[in-house]
Amino acid sequence: MKSIQKLSFLVLLLVCGSTFSYGQADRIILALEDGNLKRALKLAEDSEEDPLYKKNPEIYFLKAKVYFSIIRDPFLSTKYPEALKFGIKALEKGKYKADGEFFPEYLPLVDSFVMLSNEEGAADYRINKYTGAIKSYTTSFELNGDMSAIYWIGKCWLMQEDTTLGEEEYRKVIVWANEQQAKGLEAVPVMSEAFVYFADQYWRKQQYDSANLYLEAARKVFGGNPRIDYFQKEVTKQQIDKLPPSSLMMEKIKYILNFFPTDTLFVKKENALYLYLMRNLYEHKDTAQLDTMLKEFTIQKVDRNKSKLVNQYKKSDQFIEEKPENVLWQLVKYFSKFNYPDMSNYIAHKYIIATSKENTAGMLQSRYEVIIDYAAKSHSIKLANQLIVQAETIYGSNASLSNLRSSLISKNKDKKLETSEQGALYDLMMHKADLTKLPEDVEKIVVAYMDALIKDKEYRMAKKVILKHIKAQPDNPVWANKLDYMAKEDFYNNYYMTRVREETVAGMKVGGYTWNGSKAACNPGEIDDDIQQKVEDRINYFRRQAGVPDIYLDPELNDWCQQAALMMEANKLLSNTPDKRWSCYTDEGAHAARNSLLTNEFTTTFAVTSFFADINYSNVGRRRWLLYPNCLAMGHGSTENACAIWASDDSGSMDTNLYKEQFVAWPPEGNLTKMMVFRYWSFSIDQEIKGSTVTMTIDGEAVPIEMQPFEEGHRLSTIVWEPDFSFRSITSDTMVTITVTIPNGRRYSYKVKVLNFDPIGY
């Protein structure tokens, strides 16, 4: 329709004597060619006033061309400072006279003016004159539909904090850019910022999938650039951190690796997830799925070895190998190193089968022997010992394997070994050994291993090894002395040195805990990592003595407990069910209060000891919560006077029948410093024990005790008693024997050696 109108308009011009008007246009063109810009401008202006010429669009286009030439002339541009403005106005008039279209031959001129208008907008943007910049960019868009101008208009609105108008313009840019991509056309790279803007908004709201949609669209249109790369990596990192280890997490990691195949973080996360999922499948006995995953894993590593990027891959991927069986061997070493021997053995057997010439029992055992010898020489005695045990499980303890074991012992018993390697040598030597009469040289090696464990603070393993030898040689003072030594070392490092107390050193006050929050501002404050570590270490000191698994402090639970402690501090009350009208109330804090032990008398590690001592509660309920075997994750928060410790977790992995036979006592069986003997003694077990009887002797003499009222709840069923004896006043080590008889007639007897130990100066 427009083309017909334009044709009619041209015919009309011819009928009305357009030959004359085109002669005027020719004169303007001639003046331009002669460089006589003033004459060209005068002719154009006169034509605008003449009824014969002013309807001719070309007159205005030529006038715009004159102004463009003036802009480019260093001398005239200073005399006509508004040449750009007038040139654009002339273009707009010409477009109007031409029924809304530019003549094709003048389109390059229009683009030149758009470029100049954009430069003017950019100059205003740089000096924060956003209104002026918007005006210039709006003009650019109106002249030729320049979408980069729309992007800058949106950016200007956002810089003025008008998100509604800014986002409206950015959405236009995104629609246009996607259309360009669909047509196979390019978009101006700067426009990728519109995509990144919305990705950032969703990222801040933790709506990661929506953020990734914008980033994926941006990558399709613009390819990769530093901004898109940065946001895509960061969004994926946080998305992964929020996901549990799962196939969904693997999907996210593999997707991001399409764009950043050698990124160290994502390659390592992919490996870590593979290893976790493999262990999980093994533990759940899903060997079919595990074998599928192993095959997928080995193929991937071999393929990466063939990649042009192999050298970059090898910087962050330890499993890349030329052959699938070599990948399996890397997995064998990995799982052995990080104490998953059963998983390591499962893969080791597959490796043996894959590398054996024949799959007969004799050939497979022979292959095991070769690999065991190789492992001992090239990797670790720990792995070699593990594989010997595996081979003996499959093929029996035959002479060939026994000789191999003896050979490994002979080659390594005089070497200086790391603690884990000493442990492997110990296992090799103790296999079928008579512990009641160890040769002197063997006993020396065992003692050295015990000392290494204690030095490395591996107290659980040290205690296990020591008790094993005490049981075999109860009269050998070496083992009893080691148990005393270990108990003192553990107490000193994990109780005494976890004090949070201000002290004066060289005239200066150091240490202590100072709350950095505020009741008035309802600011819960933060606790330094070293304080949290001391709290964790002290809790685990008590749990380790009692023979139950360690816990860890969960950062999220710490935050919630900190809010709970603030609520107790601000309201000067303690409650497991705080009212919403409380000062500084938060849902997270209230949730923590319902699941935590609370006090407003002690903080940090002092609070831990007060809960375990429980001197004012004859049911020792708080101690019972903290010693619950199946607890895995705890939280801790402390303010100036209040403390909350999350203790209701039940996520630990344990044999549900274990504590039907194994008891949890405080003071526990074994050696304990006198500072840890509190007013009330307790005995817990997962059986009916109401009505149990207790007897105590100290160094063989009976001690009167007062049984406390039985109280259900607080996790394991527990009896409590108070002995009529002051252990704090002892001046030498004291042996206490306790006998508990439960209602079904079962009797439990154990000994507690109370050490007269003062850690000061130790």
Side-chain angles (χ1 to χ4, degrees):
M1 182 67 183
K2 286 187 176 182
S3 59
I4 294 172
Q5 290 174 342
K6 184 174 179 181
L7 181 61
S8 301
F9 177 74
L10 292 174
V11 170
L12 180 63
L13 284 177
L14 289 171
V15 171
C16 296
S18 61
T19 304
F20 194 23
S21 72
Y22 272 93
Q24 184 72 347
D26 289 340
R27 283 193 287 275
I28 297 171
I29 292 169
L30 185 61
L32 276 168
E33 290 175 350
D34 290 342
N36 193 342
L37 300 181
K38 286 186 177 182
R39 174 173 170 72
L41 183 58
K42 182 71 168 61
L43 288 169
E45 288 174 342
D46 288 347
S47 299
E48 281 185 295
E49 300 298 325
D50 194 315
L52 293 175
Y53 311 137
K54 66 181 182 180
K55 292 184 179 180
N56 182 1
E58 190 166 22
I59 293 297
Y60 300 95
F61 295 147
L62 286 171
K63 184 179 180 183
K65 191 170 184 178
V66 173
Y67 275 119
F68 184 74
S69 297
I70 288 172
I71 292 168
R72 296 174 64 188
D73 186 291
F75 176 73
L76 288 176
S77 61
T78 58
K79 283 198 163 190
Y80 296 89
E82 295 190 307
L84 176 60
K85 174 183 173 182
F86 293 141
I88 290 172
K89 190 175 289 187
L91 284 175
E92 290 171 341
K93 282 187 178 181
K95 181 181 180 183
Y96 174 75
K97 300 291 183 183
D99 198 22
E101 291 186 4
F102 293 111
F103 290 178
E105 62 268 29
Y106 289 103
L107 289 177
L109 177 66
V110 176
D111 292 342
S112 296
F113 269 100
V114 167
M115 182 182 70
L116 292 173
S117 181
N118 284 346
E119 288 178 359
E120 193 169 75
D124 281 340
Y125 177 86
R126 284 193 293 270
I127 58 174
N128 304 328
K129 291 185 176 181
Y130 302 119
T131 303
I134 288 172
K135 185 177 180 182
S136 296
Y137 287 124
T138 300
T139 296
S140 296
F141 176 72
E142 290 174 348
L143 283 174
N144 73 348
D146 179 27
M147 288 304 295
S148 65
I150 294 296
Y151 162 76
W152 285 105
I153 291 170
K155 194 168 181 67
C156 288
W157 285 122
L158 291 173
M159 293 301 290
Q160 295 179 94
E161 299 185 358
D162 191 329
T163 54
T164 301
L165 291 177
E167 289 177 0
E168 183 181 339
E169 301 303 310
Y170 270 14
R171 287 191 179 94
K172 293 176 187 176
V173 169
I174 289 171
V175 170
W176 176 82
N178 285 331
E179 289 174 350
Q180 290 291 98
Q181 189 269 334
K183 296 174 185 175
L185 302 174
E186 292 185 357
V188 180
V190 72
M191 292 182 176
S192 65
E193 276 294 313
F195 291 81
V196 169
Y197 169 83
F198 286 108
D200 186 32
Q201 298 304 303
Y202 283 111
W203 179 26
R204 291 171 188 272
K205 297 174 187 175
Q206 297 185 10
Q207 296 176 5
Y208 303 116
D209 286 336
S210 296
N212 268 322
L213 284 175
Y214 279 97
L215 294 169
E216 289 162 15
R219 193 172 290 280
K220 284 181 183 177
V221 178
F222 304 98
N225 68 38
R227 291 279 288 163
I228 296 172
D229 289 353
Y230 168 78
F231 275 91
Q232 196 150 30
K233 283 183 179 182
E234 292 303 313
V235 168
T236 304
K237 282 179 194 175
Q238 290 195 17
Q239 188 172 27
I240 291 169
D241 288 342
K242 297 288 183 181
L243 291 172
S246 60
S247 57
L248 178 58
M249 181 190 283
M250 183 67 81
E251 179 185 315
K252 300 297 180 186
I253 293 173
K254 286 187 176 297
Y255 178 78
I256 198 71
L257 284 170
N258 287 327
F259 306 115
F260 313 103
T262 61
D263 182 89
T264 299
L265 174 70
F266 293 120
V267 169
K268 287 187 174 182
K269 278 189 175 291
E270 181 189 45
N271 278 344
L273 182 56
Y274 262 123
L275 297 168
Y276 171 85
L277 294 175
M278 286 177 193
R279 294 200 316 270
N280 198 45
L281 290 169
Y282 179 80
E283 288 169 3
H284 287 84
K285 298 180 173 56
D286 189 349
T287 54
Q289 187 63 32
L290 172 57
D291 291 347
T292 300
M293 185 170 286
L294 279 170
K295 184 177 179 181
E296 177 186 311
F297 185 81
T298 55
I299 289 172
Q300 182 200 77
K301 302 312 173 187
V302 172
D303 286 345
R304 285 182 179 176
N305 190 66
K306 298 173 184 176
S307 167
K308 292 179 181 179
L309 301 172
V310 61
N311 290 331
Q312 290 175 264
Y313 275 124
K314 284 186 174 180
K315 291 177 182 178
S316 54
D317 193 341
Q318 70 192 77
F319 296 101
I320 289 179
E321 292 288 345
E322 187 177 351
K323 298 177 180 178
E325 56 267 31
N326 293 347
V327 178
L328 291 176
W329 179 243
Q330 292 295 341
L331 287 169
V332 170
K333 292 191 296 180
Y334 173 85
F335 284 116
S336 176
K337 180 179 179 181
F338 292 101
N339 298 317
Y340 297 103
D342 292 342
M343 182 71 191
S344 179
N345 286 337
Y346 180 84
I347 301 173
H349 195 63
K350 290 187 173 297
Y351 171 77
I352 294 294
I353 291 172
T355 57
S356 180
K357 292 179 181 178
E358 297 178 21
N359 286 344
T360 62
M363 289 299 293
L364 290 174
Q365 179 181 325
S366 178
R367 182 62 181 156
Y368 260 108
E369 291 172 8
V370 170
I371 294 304
I372 289 166
D373 187 60
Y374 171 72
K377 290 176 180 176
S378 306
H379 300 287
S380 72
I381 311 170
K382 178 183 175 183
L383 177 55
N385 176 61
Q386 171 195 308
L387 294 175
I388 283 183
V389 173
Q390 165 83 342
E392 288 176 335
T393 301
I394 299 171
Y395 308 108
S397 299
N398 53 54
S400 181
L401 290 172
S402 295
N403 290 336
L404 181 55
R405 181 186 292 275
S406 298
S407 174
L408 290 176
I409 293 171
S410 177
K411 290 176 182 177
N412 291 284
K413 68 178 184 179
D414 296 323
K415 290 183 179 178
K416 187 174 182 180
L417 303 171
E418 297 288 335
T419 305
S420 62
E421 295 291 87
Q422 284 181 272
L425 179 61
Y426 172 83
D427 288 340
L428 282 167
M429 296 174 71
M430 294 304 108
H431 180 70
K432 296 184 178 180
D434 183 356
L435 300 186
T436 62
K437 46 182 179 181
L438 293 178
E440 187 176 340
D441 61 330
V442 173
E443 181 177 303
K444 185 177 179 181
I445 291 172
V446 174
V447 169
Y449 176 45
M450 291 177 180
D451 288 339
L453 287 170
I454 295 169
K455 182 180 178 182
D456 290 349
K457 299 182 174 62
E458 296 286 346
Y459 300 115
R460 282 187 189 274
M461 179 57 72
K463 186 174 183 179
K464 181 180 178 181
V465 173
I466 294 169
L467 290 177
K468 180 178 178 180
H469 288 277
I470 286 179
K471 184 177 180 180
Q473 294 180 309
D475 298 326
N476 188 337
V478 170
W479 314 126
N481 291 339
K482 285 300 170 190
L483 195 61
D484 286 351
Y485 173 59
M486 187 208 69
K488 292 174 183 178
E489 284 286 304
D490 196 357
F491 173 79
Y492 182 80
N493 287 302
N494 291 295
Y495 185 86
Y496 186 71
M497 294 306 291
T498 59
R499 293 169 301 154
V500 179
R501 178 180 295 172
E502 187 179 86
E503 297 177 319
T504 302
V505 178
M508 297 178 64
K509 290 184 177 181
V510 296
Y513 166 66
T514 302
W515 180 44
N516 60 11
S518 166
K519 291 184 289 184
C522 286
N523 174 14
E526 295 179 345
I527 298 180
D528 291 341
D529 289 345
D530 68 320
I531 299 289
Q532 295 288 33
Q533 188 61 56
K534 285 184 176 183
V535 170
E536 183 176 296
D537 287 347
R538 184 166 289 196
I539 292 172
N540 283 332
Y541 168 76
F542 283 104
R543 289 177 65 89
R544 184 165 52 253
Q545 305 315 304
V548 298
D550 285 357
I551 57 88
Y552 70 94
L553 291 183
D554 181 274
E556 185 172 53
L557 296 184
N558 289 344
D559 289 342
W560 295 354
C561 286
Q562 193 65 20
Q563 294 178 53
L566 170 64
M567 290 163 63
M568 308 303 141
E569 181 83 34
N571 295 278
K572 297 182 179 179
L573 292 169
L574 293 180
S575 174
N576 291 114
T577 56
D579 192 282
K580 287 194 173 185
R581 292 170 293 181
W582 274 30
S583 298
C584 304
Y585 179 92
T586 64
D587 289 334
E588 294 86 349
H591 184 47
R594 285 192 293 272
N595 291 276
S596 295
L597 306 176
L598 305 172
T599 179
N600 55 12
E601 296 181 294
F602 303 97
T603 63
T604 64
T605 57
F606 292 103
V608 172
T609 300
S610 77
F611 291 145
F612 274 100
D614 243 0
I615 59 174
N616 295 320
Y617 298 91
S618 62
N619 62 8
V620 293
R622 302 185 297 181
R623 178 193 300 172
R624 290 156 69 174
W625 281 96
L626 291 175
L627 286 180
Y628 180 54
N630 207 34
C631 183
L632 175 64
M634 289 188 179
H636 161 253
S638 284
T639 53
E640 186 174 0
N641 301 291
C643 175
I645 293 182
W646 183 294
S648 68
D649 180 63
D650 194 23
S651 64
S653 175
M654 77 173 192
D655 181 345
T656 54
N657 291 314
L658 179 62
Y659 291 92
K660 289 187 180 299
E661 294 298 322
Q662 183 173 313
F663 61 86
V664 179
W666 197 270
E669 183 175 20
N671 295 11
L672 192 72
T673 63
K674 64 182 181 181
M675 285 179 63
M676 297 292 94
V677 179
F678 304 121
R679 176 182 179 182
Y680 294 115
W681 290 51
S682 59
F683 176 96
S684 305
I685 197 166
D686 189 15
Q687 292 193 48
E688 175 56 58
I689 59 172
K690 183 179 181 180
S692 298
T693 60
V694 179
T695 61
M696 281 181 63
T697 63
I698 296 180
D699 292 335
E701 297 290 328
V703 177
I705 65 169
E706 182 181 350
M707 295 298 295
Q708 303 301 306
F710 181 80
E711 187 171 314
E712 291 284 6
H714 312 294
R715 297 303 194 186
L716 291 180
S717 187
T718 301
I719 54 172
V720 183
W721 66 93
E722 182 179 3
D724 185 14
F725 188 87
S726 174
F727 288 92
R728 292 294 181 97
S729 63
I730 64 173
T731 56
S732 61
D733 295 350
T734 301
M735 184 65 72
V736 183
T737 302
I738 303 98
T739 301
V740 176
T741 305
I742 66 176
N744 66 7
R746 177 71 185 273
R747 180 174 294 177
Y748 296 87
S749 186
Y750 60 99
K751 295 180 183 295
V752 179
K753 184 178 181 181
V754 182
L755 303 177
N756 178 38
F757 175 64
D758 185 351
I760 298 174
Y762 177 65

